[in-house]
Amino acid sequence: MDLQNQQIDSDFKKIRNPKSAIPNIKYSHMNHWKNIPYQRIDNFREFYYEDKTNSAYYTDWDRILRYQKALGFNGIELAPWDFPEMLPLFGSPQAFKDFAAERGVEVSGMFHLIDKPYDRTHHKQTLEESKKAVDLLVEFGGTQLNSAPINNYYGVGPLSRDQIKASAEIITEVGKYATDKGVQIGIHNEFFLAINKDNHREYLELTDPRYVHYCLDTAQVALLGEDILEFYDTYHDRICTFHLKDTATPALPDDIRYSRDIEIVDDGTRWFWEPGEGVLDFKGLYQLLKKHQFKGWVTVETDGTPDLLASMALSRYYIDNELDSIYS
Amino acid sequence: MKIGISLDMVNVHHQEPNRNRYESKYYWDELYPMIATAGFRAVEIPFDPFWIFRGGSGVPFTKYCIEVKFETVAKFVAHLQANGIEKVAGIHFNPTIFMRNENLDFYFGASGYFGGESIRYAAELGCDYIAITPTPPYGLVQHYHGKYPNWEGDFMNRTIQLINGFATIAQEKGIKISLRNEYWSVLRSQDYQTFLSQLNDSIHFNIDSANLSIAGQNSTELLKNNASKIGSIYLTDTAFMDDNETWKTPLPEYPQHRATQVFKDIGLGKVDLSGFCQTLKEINYDGWAIVSNRQTREPMRALLRSRKTISELAGGSLQLGDFGIKK
């Protein structure tokens, strides 16, 4: 094959299958769709004409899953606060799993809170609630239980050494149960939690690496003050999955991170942005993914966006055109 | 009658582009003066403990949220008044959020606790009434409890205890309870007169124009026969006909068999609101009539649409003064 034909062949492969450039990575989308009231709107044109607004496009699971598939997000990570409506709507986790599979999407995981882990008198209840979450995820067919390790700093922090130890003990117990069920527990740190800048490495190292893994939410960890490249390079063998999102305000000061209800700011300030729209070094991160031969789910979490569909598309463009070629 | 508008026009629970702005205080700071500008001097607040758990305390739906953002309820009321909203007429408490598992003790325990919270919040706000939805949707309760024999009987007995417990707290706080009856309620499958006979005498009733219409009831007759027991009114609109037993489904506000918007901004549906308001005038109703535009897709537009509709309703024998609105 001459040089010109080799170039044409290479270009054609990119066009033909641009979203399978990295066989080691499966891309998922974190569900922040905030309660979808319909399974499938059959009379979509009629529905649209009731109001002639674009909210019609965001009202049924059928279209949302199709948007995901169209943009190459073959996994969906579920949010438990949606289940009280979602489960009666579908009838069962299996029914949702089947519905999503018909549209080419599988459940990658779900979000979870390890509630009151610092309090050993609450451990029995924490474990029972976490077991239910693991069982539910298994019914959905997912494998990643990305777990906020503790409640918010406001009202709980600062933690004593013993409270950090107690927190590590209970998530390890949850991890043992999850591992038996084929589920990976991923510690999901958030910038406003009681496990925070000063203690999250200590907490991580107190957990058993056989049972407890780490979901690296790039923006959250940067917001609490970590260098995400150094953190990943150091703990790459613990990190089982990512929440890929950007921030423009890394290393927030303590008085912001520890304040009450800081996730949603009064003036509309956004902590989270689409990859490439903030300041984080995702290209450096992908070089490290290649170095450590990361394999698994990478979830784009479009948290706080005004338009989830636009953010999905913007993120996908950045991944396809800036990141995947680094680790291909 | 005195007119107000419900803050349920801001749908904080379901997806739409940029819906997350509803969780931020800046949105509500802009909304309050718009309410007064559209001619409404009173509001009703839907009590919603989701915002205690969720952390979106910019949403003014619980006392917790108010204290995070305004320190005290009194300061929040003063903030509303400074923006032209003279009064919080009432609170709406809906226990449906707690119907989320197979544990009825959880449902009734949480409903009792937060229902009490909502009454105390209403008292601090200076409300005249609290509207209470007595049951979650029939289909939702059946989803979690339908496999148990006699679930309806057991559920109703505990519901009566729950509501009578609310009546005790409401009487202590000097608040009137107004029992709302949505078209999808478990009450619909029950002997309603027997249910009523077991309730505390202090309990009044809410009349909701759209829900009555969907349930196929005669609102004029109902208003005239129960004039002395009306605690509050909802001016709501719909064009929906429940011809496929949507009321029995878990999400009856979203009919799956033919997706449509059940509730419309007032004036856009088919309810005879003119006749409804005329009857209210005939029975000399002097309580609150609350415009509820739940399911609207544009709250700011719904405000103006509502004012336009009220102005049109006032065009015949009804006057704006009949709605407590000054020209």
Coordinates of all heavy atoms in Angstrom, one line a residue, chain A residues 32-41 43 47 50-51 53-55 58-59 80-81 83-85 87-89 91 260-261 263-268 304-308, chain B residues 13-20 23-26 50 54-57 64 67-69 99-100 140 143-144 250-251 253-256 258-261 264 297-298 305:
Chain A
H32 N -27.4 12.2 35.7 CA -27.9 13.4 36.5 C -29.2 13.9 35.8 O -29.4 15.1 35.8 CB -26.9 14.5 36.6 CG -25.9 14.3 37.7 ND1 -26.1 14.7 39.0 CD2 -24.7 13.7 37.7 CE1 -25.1 14.4 39.7 NE2 -24.2 13.8 39.0
W33 N -30.0 13.0 35.3 CA -31.1 13.5 34.5 C -32.3 13.8 35.5 O -33.3 14.3 35.0 CB -31.6 12.4 33.5 CG -30.6 12.1 32.4 CD1 -29.7 11.1 32.4 CD2 -30.4 12.9 31.2 NE1 -28.9 11.2 31.2 CE2 -29.4 12.3 30.5 CE3 -31.0 14.0 30.7 CZ2 -28.9 12.8 29.3 CZ3 -30.6 14.5 29.5 CH2 -29.5 13.9 28.8
K34 N -32.2 13.6 36.8 CA -33.1 14.1 37.8 C -34.6 13.7 37.5 O -35.4 14.5 37.2 CB -33.0 15.7 37.9 CG -31.7 16.2 38.2 CD -31.4 16.0 39.7 CE -30.0 16.4 40.0 NZ -29.6 17.8 39.8
N35 N -34.9 12.5 37.6 CA -36.2 11.9 37.5 C -36.8 12.1 36.1 O -37.1 13.3 35.7 CB -37.2 12.5 38.5 CG -37.0 11.8 39.8 OD1 -36.6 10.7 39.9 ND2 -37.3 12.6 40.9
I36 N -36.9 11.0 35.4 CA -37.5 11.0 34.1 C -38.9 10.4 34.2 O -39.0 9.2 34.5 CB -36.7 10.2 33.1 CG1 -35.2 10.7 33.1 CG2 -37.3 10.3 31.7 CD1 -35.1 12.2 32.7
P37 N -40.0 11.1 33.9 CA -41.3 10.6 34.3 C -41.9 9.5 33.3 O -42.8 8.8 33.7 CB -42.2 11.8 34.4 CG -41.5 12.8 33.5 CD -40.1 12.5 33.6
Y38 N -41.4 9.5 32.1 CA -42.0 8.5 31.1 C -40.9 7.5 30.7 O -39.7 7.8 30.6 CB -42.4 9.3 29.9 CG -43.6 10.2 30.1 CD1 -43.5 11.5 30.2 CD2 -44.9 9.6 30.2 CE1 -44.5 12.4 30.4 CE2 -46.0 10.5 30.5 CZ -45.8 11.8 30.5 OH -46.9 12.6 30.8
Q39 N -41.4 6.3 30.4 CA -40.5 5.3 29.8 C -40.2 5.6 28.4 O -39.1 5.8 27.9 CB -41.2 3.9 29.9 CG -41.0 3.1 31.1 CD -41.3 1.7 30.9 OE1 -41.2 1.1 29.8 NE2 -41.8 1.0 32.0
R40 N -41.3 5.7 27.6 CA -41.2 6.0 26.2 C -42.4 6.8 25.7 O -43.5 6.4 26.0 CB -41.1 4.7 25.4 CG -41.0 4.9 24.0 CD -40.9 3.6 23.2 NE -41.0 3.8 21.8 CZ -41.0 2.8 20.9 NH1 -40.8 1.6 21.3 NH2 -41.0 3.1 19.6
I41 N -42.2 7.9 25.1 CA -43.3 8.7 24.6 C -43.5 8.3 23.1 O -42.7 8.7 22.2 CB -42.9 10.2 24.7 CG1 -42.8 10.6 26.2 CG2 -44.0 11.0 24.0 CD1 -42.4 12.0 26.4
N43 N -46.2 9.1 21.3 CA -46.8 10.2 20.5 C -46.0 11.5 20.6 O -46.5 12.5 21.0 CB -48.3 10.5 20.9 CG -48.4 10.9 22.4 OD1 -47.4 10.7 23.2 ND2 -49.5 11.4 22.8
F47 N -47.0 15.3 21.7 CA -46.5 15.7 22.9 C -45.8 17.1 22.8 O -46.0 18.0 23.5 CB -45.5 14.7 23.5 CG -45.1 14.9 25.0 CD1 -45.9 14.4 26.0 CD2 -44.0 15.7 25.3 CE1 -45.5 14.6 27.3 CE2 -43.6 15.9 26.6 CZ -44.4 15.3 27.6
E50 N -48.0 20.2 22.5 CA -48.7 20.7 23.7 C -48.1 22.0 24.2 O -48.7 22.9 24.7 CB -48.7 19.6 24.8 CG -49.6 18.5 24.6 CD -49.8 17.6 25.9 OE1 -49.1 17.9 26.8 OE2 -50.7 16.8 25.8
D51 N -46.7 22.0 24.1 CA -46.1 23.2 24.7 C -45.1 23.9 23.7 O -44.7 25.0 23.9 CB -45.3 22.8 26.0 CG -46.2 22.7 27.1 OD1 -46.8 21.6 27.2 OD2 -46.4 23.6 27.9
T53 N -42.0 23.4 23.6 CA -40.7 23.7 24.3 C -39.8 22.5 24.1 O -40.3 21.4 23.8 CB -40.9 24.0 25.8 OG1 -41.3 22.8 26.4 CG2 -42.0 25.0 26.0
N54 N -38.5 22.7 24.4 CA -37.6 21.6 24.2 C -37.6 20.7 25.4 O -36.9 19.7 25.4 CB -36.2 22.1 24.0 CG -35.7 23.0 25.0 OD1 -36.4 23.5 25.9 ND2 -34.4 23.3 25.0
S55 N -38.4 21.0 26.5 CA -38.5 20.0 27.6 C -39.0 18.7 27.1 O -38.7 17.6 27.7 CB -39.3 20.6 28.7 OG -40.6 20.8 28.3
Y58 N -36.5 15.8 26.8 CA -35.8 15.4 28.0 C -36.7 14.6 29.0 O -36.5 14.6 30.2 CB -35.2 16.6 28.8 CG -34.2 17.3 28.0 CD1 -34.5 18.2 27.0 CD2 -32.8 17.0 28.1 CE1 -33.5 18.9 26.2 CE2 -31.8 17.6 27.4 CZ -32.2 18.6 26.4 OH -31.3 19.2 25.7
T59 N -37.8 14.1 28.5 CA -38.9 13.6 29.4 C -39.0 12.1 29.4 O -39.7 11.6 30.3 CB -40.2 14.3 29.0 OG1 -40.0 15.7 29.0 CG2 -41.3 14.0 30.0
P80 N -29.2 6.9 43.0 CA -30.2 6.3 43.9 C -31.4 7.2 44.2 O -32.5 6.7 44.5 CB -29.4 5.9 45.1 CG -28.2 6.7 45.1 CD -27.9 7.0 43.7
W81 N -31.2 8.5 44.1 CA -32.3 9.4 44.4 C -33.4 9.4 43.3 O -34.5 9.9 43.5 CB -31.8 10.9 44.7 CG -30.9 11.4 43.7 CD1 -31.2 12.0 42.5 CD2 -29.4 11.4 43.8 NE1 -30.0 12.3 41.8 CE2 -28.9 12.0 42.6 CE3 -28.5 10.9 44.8 CZ2 -27.5 12.1 42.4 CZ3 -27.2 11.1 44.5 CH2 -26.7 11.7 43.4
F83 N -34.5 6.4 42.2 CA -35.1 5.1 42.2 C -36.6 5.1 42.7 O -37.4 4.3 42.2 CB -34.3 4.1 43.1 CG -33.0 3.7 42.5 CD1 -32.0 3.2 43.4 CD2 -32.7 3.9 41.2 CE1 -30.8 2.9 42.9 CE2 -31.5 3.5 40.7 CZ -30.5 3.0 41.5
P84 N -37.0 6.0 43.6 CA -38.4 6.0 44.1 C -39.4 6.2 42.9 O -40.5 5.7 43.0 CB -38.5 7.1 45.1 CG -37.1 7.1 45.7 CD -36.2 6.9 44.5
E85 N -39.0 6.9 41.9 CA -39.9 7.0 40.7 C -39.5 6.0 39.6 O -40.4 5.4 39.0 CB -39.8 8.4 40.1 CG -40.6 9.4 40.9 CD -41.0 10.7 40.2 OE1 -40.8 10.7 39.0 OE2 -41.4 11.6 40.8
L87 N -38.1 3.0 39.7 CA -38.4 1.5 39.9 C -39.9 1.3 39.7 O -40.3 0.3 39.0 CB -37.9 1.0 41.2 CG -36.3 0.9 41.2 CD1 -35.8 0.6 42.6 CD2 -35.8 -0.1 40.2
P88 N -40.8 2.1 40.3 CA -42.2 1.8 40.0 C -42.5 2.0 38.5 O -43.4 1.3 38.0 CB -42.9 2.9 40.9 CG -42.0 3.2 42.0 CD -40.6 3.1 41.4
L89 N -41.8 2.9 37.9 CA -42.1 3.2 36.5 C -41.7 2.0 35.6 O -42.5 1.6 34.7 CB -41.2 4.4 36.0 CG -41.4 4.9 34.6 CD1 -42.8 5.3 34.3 CD2 -40.4 6.0 34.3
G91 N -41.0 -1.2 37.1 CA -41.4 -2.4 37.7 C -40.3 -3.1 38.4 O -40.5 -3.7 39.5
R260 N -21.7 25.0 55.0 CA -23.0 24.2 54.9 C -23.6 24.3 53.5 O -23.6 25.4 52.9 CB -23.9 24.9 55.9 CG -25.2 24.1 56.2 CD -26.0 24.8 57.3 NE -27.0 24.0 57.8 CZ -27.9 24.5 58.8 NH1 -27.7 25.6 59.3 NH2 -28.8 23.7 59.2
D261 N -24.0 23.2 53.0 CA -24.7 23.1 51.7 C -24.0 23.8 50.6 O -24.6 24.6 49.8 CB -26.1 23.7 51.8 CG -27.1 22.8 52.5 OD1 -26.7 21.6 52.8 OD2 -28.3 23.1 52.7
E263 N -22.5 22.6 48.0 CA -22.5 22.0 46.6 C -23.3 22.8 45.6 O -22.9 22.9 44.5 CB -23.1 20.5 46.7 CG -22.9 19.8 45.4 CD -23.3 18.3 45.5 OE1 -24.0 18.0 46.5 OE2 -23.1 17.6 44.6
I264 N -24.4 23.4 46.1 CA -25.2 24.3 45.3 C -25.1 25.7 45.8 O -25.5 26.1 46.9 CB -26.6 23.8 45.3 CG1 -26.7 22.4 44.8 CG2 -27.5 24.8 44.4 CD1 -28.0 21.7 45.0
V265 N -24.4 26.6 45.0 CA -24.0 27.9 45.5 C -25.1 28.9 45.2 O -25.7 28.9 44.1 CB -22.7 28.3 44.8 CG1 -22.1 29.6 45.5 CG2 -21.6 27.2 45.0
D266 N -25.3 29.9 46.1 CA -26.4 30.8 46.0 C -26.4 31.6 44.7 O -27.4 32.0 44.1 CB -26.4 31.8 47.1 CG -26.8 31.2 48.4 OD1 -27.2 30.0 48.4 OD2 -26.6 31.8 49.5
D267 N -25.2 32.0 44.2 CA -25.2 32.9 43.0 C -25.0 32.1 41.7 O -24.8 32.7 40.6 CB -24.0 33.9 43.1 CG -22.6 33.2 43.1 OD1 -22.6 32.0 43.0 OD2 -21.6 33.9 43.2
G268 N -25.1 30.7 41.7 CA -25.0 29.9 40.5 C -23.6 29.5 40.1 O -23.5 28.9 39.0
G304 N -24.1 19.4 37.4 CA -24.4 20.9 37.5 C -24.5 21.6 36.2 O -24.6 22.8 36.1
T305 N -24.5 20.8 35.1 CA -24.6 21.5 33.8 C -26.1 22.0 33.5 O -27.0 21.4 34.0 CB -24.3 20.5 32.6 OG1 -24.5 21.1 31.4 CG2 -25.1 19.2 32.7
P306 N -26.2 23.1 32.8 CA -27.5 23.5 32.4 C -28.2 22.6 31.3 O -29.4 22.7 31.2 CB -27.3 24.9 31.9 CG -25.9 25.0 31.4 CD -25.2 24.0 32.3
D307 N -27.4 21.9 30.6 CA -27.9 21.1 29.5 C -27.1 19.8 29.3 O -26.0 19.8 28.8 CB -27.8 21.9 28.2 CG -28.5 21.3 27.0 OD1 -28.6 20.0 27.0 OD2 -29.0 22.0 26.1
L308 N -27.7 18.7 29.8 CA -27.0 17.5 29.9 C -26.6 17.0 28.5 O -25.6 16.4 28.3 CB -27.8 16.4 30.6 CG -27.8 16.6 32.1 CD1 -29.2 16.7 32.8 CD2 -26.9 15.6 32.8
Chain B
H13 N -38.4 18.6 40.6 CA -38.1 17.2 40.7 C -37.8 16.5 39.3 O -37.3 15.4 39.3 CB -39.3 16.4 41.3 CG -39.3 16.7 42.8 ND1 -38.4 16.1 43.7 CD2 -40.1 17.4 43.6 CE1 -38.7 16.5 44.9 NE2 -39.7 17.3 44.9
H14 N -38.3 17.1 38.3 CA -38.2 16.4 37.0 C -37.3 17.1 36.0 O -37.1 18.3 36.0 CB -39.6 16.2 36.4 CG -40.4 15.2 37.2 ND1 -41.2 15.6 38.2 CD2 -40.4 13.9 37.2 CE1 -41.8 14.6 38.8 NE2 -41.3 13.5 38.2
Q15 N -36.7 16.3 35.1 CA -35.7 16.8 34.2 C -36.3 17.8 33.2 O -37.3 17.6 32.6 CB -35.0 15.7 33.4 CG -33.9 16.1 32.6 CD -32.8 16.7 33.4 OE1 -32.3 16.1 34.3 NE2 -32.4 17.9 33.0
E16 N -35.5 18.8 32.9 CA -35.8 19.7 31.8 C -34.4 20.5 31.7 O -33.6 20.5 32.6 CB -36.9 20.7 32.1 CG -36.7 21.6 33.2 CD -37.8 22.7 33.3 OE1 -38.8 22.4 33.9 OE2 -37.6 23.8 32.7
P17 N -34.2 21.1 30.5 CA -32.9 21.9 30.4 C -32.8 22.9 31.5 O -33.7 23.7 31.7 CB -33.0 22.5 29.0 CG -34.0 21.6 28.3 CD -34.9 21.1 29.3
N18 N -31.6 23.0 32.1 CA -31.3 23.9 33.1 C -32.2 23.9 34.3 O -32.4 24.9 35.0 CB -31.3 25.4 32.5 CG -30.3 26.2 33.3 OD1 -29.5 25.8 34.1 ND2 -30.3 27.5 33.0
R19 N -32.8 22.8 34.6 CA -33.7 22.7 35.8 C -32.9 22.9 37.1 O -33.5 23.3 38.1 CB -34.5 21.4 35.9 CG -33.6 20.2 36.1 CD -34.3 19.0 36.7 NE -34.7 19.2 38.1 CZ -33.9 19.4 39.1 NH1 -32.5 19.3 38.9 NH2 -34.3 19.6 40.3
N20 N -31.6 22.6 37.1 CA -30.8 22.7 38.3 C -30.8 24.2 38.8 O -30.5 24.4 40.0 CB -29.4 22.2 38.1 CG -28.7 22.9 37.0 OD1 -29.2 23.1 35.9 ND2 -27.4 23.3 37.3
E23 N -32.7 24.9 42.0 CA -32.1 24.6 43.3 C -31.3 25.7 43.9 O -30.9 25.6 45.1 CB -31.3 23.3 43.2 CG -32.1 22.1 42.7 CD -31.2 20.8 42.6 OE1 -30.2 20.8 43.2 OE2 -31.6 19.9 41.9
S24 N -31.0 26.7 43.1 CA -30.1 27.8 43.6 C -30.9 29.0 44.1 O -32.0 29.3 43.5 CB -29.2 28.2 42.5 OG -28.4 27.1 42.1
K25 N -30.4 29.6 45.1 CA -31.1 30.7 45.7 C -31.4 31.9 44.7 O -32.4 32.6 44.7 CB -30.4 31.2 46.9 CG -31.1 32.3 47.7 CD -30.4 32.5 49.0 CE -31.0 33.7 49.8 NZ -30.6 35.0 49.1
Y26 N -30.4 32.1 43.7 CA -30.6 33.2 42.8 C -31.8 33.1 42.0 O -32.4 34.2 41.7 CB -29.3 33.3 41.9 CG -29.3 32.4 40.7 CD1 -29.8 32.7 39.5 CD2 -28.7 31.1 40.9 CE1 -29.8 31.8 38.4 CE2 -28.6 30.2 39.8 CZ -29.1 30.6 38.6 OH -29.1 29.7 37.5
F50 N -37.4 16.6 50.8 CA -36.3 16.2 49.9 C -35.2 17.1 50.0 O -34.0 16.7 49.9 CB -36.9 16.1 48.4 CG -35.9 15.6 47.4 CD1 -35.6 14.3 47.3 CD2 -35.2 16.5 46.6 CE1 -34.7 13.9 46.3 CE2 -34.3 16.1 45.7 CZ -34.0 14.8 45.5
R54 N -31.3 16.5 50.3 CA -30.5 16.7 49.1 C -29.5 17.8 49.2 O -28.5 17.8 48.5 CB -31.5 17.1 48.0 CG -30.9 17.5 46.6 CD -30.4 16.2 46.0 NE -29.8 16.6 44.7 CZ -28.6 17.1 44.5 NH1 -27.8 17.3 45.6 NH2 -28.1 17.5 43.3
G55 N -29.7 18.8 50.1 CA -28.7 19.9 50.3 C -29.0 21.1 49.4 O -28.2 22.0 49.4
G56 N -30.1 21.1 48.7 CA -30.4 22.3 47.9 C -31.2 23.3 48.7 O -32.4 23.5 48.4
S57 N -30.6 23.9 49.6 CA -31.4 24.7 50.6 C -31.8 26.0 50.0 O -32.4 26.8 50.7 CB -30.6 24.9 51.9 OG -29.2 25.2 51.6
Y64 N -35.8 24.0 57.4 CA -34.4 23.8 57.4 C -33.8 24.7 56.3 O -32.8 25.4 56.5 CB -34.1 22.3 57.1 CG -32.6 22.1 56.7 CD1 -31.6 21.9 57.6 CD2 -32.2 22.0 55.3 CE1 -30.3 21.7 57.3 CE2 -30.9 21.8 55.0 CZ -30.0 21.7 55.9 OH -28.6 21.5 55.6
E67 N -33.8 28.3 57.3 CA -32.8 28.7 58.3 C -31.4 28.7 57.8 O -30.6 29.5 58.2 CB -32.9 27.7 59.5 CG -34.2 28.0 60.3 CD -34.5 27.0 61.4 OE1 -33.8 25.9 61.4 OE2 -35.3 27.3 62.2
V68 N -31.1 27.9 56.8 CA -29.8 27.9 56.2 C -29.5 29.2 55.5 O -28.5 29.8 55.6 CB -29.6 26.7 55.2 CG1 -28.3 26.9 54.4 CG2 -29.6 25.4 55.9
K69 N -30.6 29.7 54.7 CA -30.4 30.9 53.9 C -30.8 32.2 54.6 O -30.3 33.2 54.2 CB -31.2 30.7 52.6 CG -30.8 29.5 51.8 CD -29.3 29.6 51.4 CE -28.9 28.3 50.5 NZ -27.4 28.2 50.4
M99 N -43.3 7.1 50.4 CA -43.8 5.8 49.8 C -42.7 5.3 48.9 O -42.8 5.5 47.7 CB -45.1 5.9 49.1 CG -45.7 4.6 48.6 SD -45.8 3.3 49.8 CE -46.9 3.9 51.0
R100 N -41.6 4.7 49.5 CA -40.5 4.3 48.7 C -39.9 2.9 49.0 O -38.9 2.6 48.5 CB -39.4 5.4 48.8 CG -39.0 5.6 50.3 CD -38.3 6.9 50.5 NE -37.0 7.0 49.8 CZ -36.7 8.1 49.0 NH1 -37.6 9.1 48.9 NH2 -35.6 8.2 48.4
L140 N -49.0 3.6 43.3 CA -47.7 3.6 44.0 C -47.7 2.8 45.2 O -46.8 2.0 45.5 CB -47.2 5.1 44.3 CG -45.8 5.2 44.7 CD1 -44.8 4.8 43.7 CD2 -45.5 6.7 45.2
H143 N -47.9 -0.7 44.3 CA -46.6 -1.2 43.8 C -45.8 -1.8 44.9 O -45.2 -2.9 44.8 CB -45.8 -0.1 43.1 CG -44.4 -0.5 42.8 ND1 -44.0 -1.2 41.7 CD2 -43.2 -0.2 43.5 CE1 -42.7 -1.4 41.7 NE2 -42.2 -0.8 42.7
Y144 N -45.8 -1.2 46.1 CA -45.0 -1.6 47.2 C -45.7 -2.6 48.1 O -45.1 -3.4 48.8 CB -44.5 -0.5 48.0 CG -43.4 0.3 47.3 CD1 -43.6 1.6 46.9 CD2 -42.1 -0.2 47.1 CE1 -42.6 2.4 46.2 CE2 -41.1 0.5 46.4 CZ -41.4 1.8 46.0 OH -40.4 2.5 45.3
P250 N -48.6 3.9 39.0 CA -47.7 4.4 40.0 C -47.4 5.9 39.8 O -47.2 6.6 40.8 CB -46.5 3.6 39.9 CG -46.9 2.3 39.2 CD -48.0 2.7 38.4
L251 N -47.4 6.4 38.5 CA -47.1 7.8 38.3 C -48.3 8.4 37.5 O -48.2 8.7 36.3 CB -45.8 7.9 37.4 CG -44.5 8.0 38.2 CD1 -44.1 6.7 38.9 CD2 -43.4 8.4 37.2
E253 N -49.6 11.2 37.4 CA -49.4 12.6 36.8 C -48.8 12.5 35.4 O -48.7 13.5 34.7 CB -48.6 13.4 37.7 CG -49.1 14.8 37.9 CD -48.4 15.6 39.0 OE1 -48.1 15.0 40.0 OE2 -48.2 16.8 38.8
Y254 N -48.3 11.3 35.1 CA -47.6 11.1 33.8 C -48.2 9.8 33.1 O -47.6 8.8 33.2 CB -46.1 11.0 34.0 CG -45.6 12.2 34.7 CD1 -45.5 12.3 36.1 CD2 -45.2 13.3 34.0 CE1 -45.0 13.4 36.7 CE2 -44.8 14.5 34.6 CZ -44.7 14.5 36.0 OH -44.2 15.7 36.6
P255 N -49.3 10.0 32.5 CA -50.0 8.8 31.9 C -49.2 8.1 30.8 O -48.9 8.7 29.8 CB -51.3 9.4 31.3 CG -51.4 10.8 31.9 CD -50.0 11.2 32.2
Q256 N -48.8 6.9 31.1 CA -47.9 6.2 30.3 C -48.5 5.8 28.9 O -47.9 5.7 27.9 CB -47.3 5.0 31.0 CG -46.6 5.3 32.3 CD -45.3 6.1 32.1 OE1 -44.5 5.8 31.2 NE2 -45.1 7.2 32.8
R258 N -50.7 7.2 27.1 CA -50.6 8.3 26.1 C -50.0 9.5 26.7 O -50.7 10.4 27.3 CB -52.0 8.6 25.4 CG -53.1 9.1 26.4 CD -54.3 9.4 25.6 NE -55.4 10.0 26.4 CZ -55.4 11.3 26.7 NH1 -54.6 12.1 26.3 NH2 -56.4 11.7 27.5
A259 N -48.7 9.6 26.6 CA -48.0 10.7 27.3 C -48.6 12.0 27.1 O -48.8 12.4 25.9 CB -46.5 10.6 26.9
T260 N -48.9 12.7 28.1 CA -49.4 14.0 28.0 C -49.3 14.8 29.3 O -48.9 14.2 30.3 CB -50.9 14.0 27.7 OG1 -51.4 15.3 27.4 CG2 -51.8 13.4 28.8
Q261 N -49.5 16.1 29.3 CA -49.4 16.9 30.5 C -50.8 16.9 31.1 O -51.7 17.4 30.5 CB -49.0 18.3 30.1 CG -48.6 19.2 31.2 CD -48.2 20.6 30.7 OE1 -48.0 20.8 29.5 NE2 -48.0 21.5 31.6
K264 N -52.5 21.8 33.3 CA -52.1 22.9 32.4 C -52.1 24.2 33.2 O -52.8 24.3 34.2 CB -53.0 22.9 31.2 CG -52.9 21.7 30.3 CD -53.7 21.9 29.1 CE -53.6 20.8 28.1 NZ -52.2 20.7 27.5
R297 N -44.2 24.3 32.2 CA -42.8 24.2 31.7 C -42.1 25.5 31.7 O -40.9 25.6 31.5 CB -42.8 23.6 30.3 CG -43.2 22.2 30.3 CD -43.6 21.6 29.0 NE -43.9 20.2 29.2 CZ -44.4 19.4 28.3 NH1 -44.8 20.0 27.1 NH2 -44.7 18.2 28.4
E298 N -42.8 26.6 32.1 CA -42.2 27.9 32.2 C -42.8 28.7 33.3 O -43.8 29.3 33.1 CB -42.3 28.7 30.9 CG -41.6 28.0 29.7 CD -41.7 28.9 28.4 OE1 -41.5 30.1 28.5 OE2 -42.1 28.3 27.4
R305 N -49.5 34.2 32.5 CA -50.7 33.6 32.0 C -51.8 33.5 33.1 O -53.0 33.8 32.8 CB -50.4 32.1 31.6 CG -49.7 32.0 30.2 CD -49.3 30.5 30.0 NE -48.9 30.2 28.7 CZ -48.2 29.1 28.4 NH1 -48.0 28.2 29.3 NH2 -47.8 29.0 27.1

